[in-house]
Amino acid sequence: MGNRRRGLALASGFALWFLAGVLFRGYLEASMVRHALVQLPLLAVSGILIVARRGPVSPHAFALPALLLALFTSAIWMLPRMLDASLSHTSAEFAKLSSIPLLIGIPLGWSWPRLDGLVRAFVWTNLVSMSLTLGWIYTAAPVRVCNFYLVDDQKRLGIAFLALAATITLGWLPRLFHGTAPAASANRAQKP
């Protein structure tokens, strides 16, 4: 049964890569929002699915370096210059379609279950701060930062990044309060 699930995850990863990177590439790259917030994450998820595992995993010494590789590669692909390059140069498009699954998705999918909760929280807070920063840059920039997209597309992407930051923050707030509530109620129950 495990081999069947593994094969299904592998097939799903390759299918998602094909859909986002080949079949619907033109549609996804026609909009700056779809390019940055749909196609790039789908390519990363395709890599995550390739190494998806079920069941317990133990910490590993290379989990943090693998995470750092994924974070540095994703920082490169968040640059507006890289979005432009992937639209104008076939080599940059090939680099995008290969590096995002291989250098973001696979290292992130492999390292994430092996990381400490504090490191995961750092990644989430970093994602929120990066989304806020990019949202501010894209909405406040007086000129186009991407040559292939209009200023209106840029502003829509900025608003989408701000909405992403708000969504992640609102999604984490209940976890923060829920994580402290059981310990407090257990302490109250033990007091006479």
Side-chain angles (χ1 to χ4, degrees), residues 173-189:
L173 281 177
R175 287 181 145 193
L176 292 175
F177 290 116
H178 184 268
T180 58
S185 62
N187 288 339
R188 275 189 243 122

Side-chain angles (χ1 to χ4, degrees), residues 26-49:
Y27 170 74
L28 293 173
E29 292 176 351
S31 162
M32 195 174 186
V33 175
R34 290 192 302 263
H35 192 176
L37 292 180
V38 178
Q39 185 188 37
L40 300 184
L42 285 177
L43 290 172
V45 169
S46 72
I48 291 170
L49 288 173

Side-chain angles (χ1 to χ4, degrees), residues 3-191:
N3 286 338
R4 186 175 177 202
R5 281 188 183 165
R6 180 78 189 110
L8 183 61
L10 192 63
S12 299
F14 282 115
L16 186 60
W17 177 86
F18 180 76
L19 291 172
V22 178
L23 193 61
F24 294 111
R25 188 181 116 213
Y27 170 74
L28 293 173
E29 292 176 351
S31 162
M32 195 174 186
V33 175
R34 290 192 302 263
H35 192 176
L37 292 180
V38 178
Q39 185 188 37
L40 300 184
L42 285 177
L43 290 172
V45 169
S46 72
I48 291 170
L49 288 173
I50 289 172
V51 295
R53 279 190 66 162
R54 294 208 178 255
V57 293
S58 58
H60 197 279
F62 290 114
L64 192 56
L67 175 68
L68 290 174
L69 174 65
L71 292 178
F72 285 129
T73 307
S74 63
I76 290 169
W77 282 107
M78 286 196 172
L79 296 172
R81 172 82 176 118
M82 295 306 292
L83 290 179
D84 271 347
S86 70
L87 295 173
S88 60
H89 302 294
T90 307
S91 59
E93 181 74 18
F94 177 76
K96 176 180 77 173
L97 296 177
S98 57
S99 69
I100 292 177
L102 295 175
L103 300 178
I104 297 174
I106 289 176
L108 186 62
W110 179 82
S111 66
W112 192 258
R114 293 168 172 83
L115 292 170
D116 183 54
L118 185 61
V119 176
R120 290 183 194 182
F122 172 77
V123 172
W124 281 113
T125 54
N126 188 31
L127 181 61
V128 169
S129 66
M130 287 292 287
S131 297
L132 286 172
T133 302
L134 287 170
W136 175 74
I137 288 171
Y138 283 128
T139 53
V143 295
R144 290 191 313 176
V145 293
C146 282
N147 294 330
F148 285 90
Y149 297 108
L150 300 174
V151 175
D152 291 342
D153 284 333
Q154 180 177 303
K155 291 194 183 302
R156 280 192 288 272
L157 180 60
I159 292 168
F161 269 119
L162 294 173
L164 176 66
T167 303
I168 293 170
T169 303
L170 291 174
W172 268 90
L173 281 177
R175 287 181 145 193
L176 292 175
F177 290 116
H178 184 268
T180 58
S185 62
N187 288 339
R188 275 189 243 122
Q190 290 177 356
K191 289 182 180 177

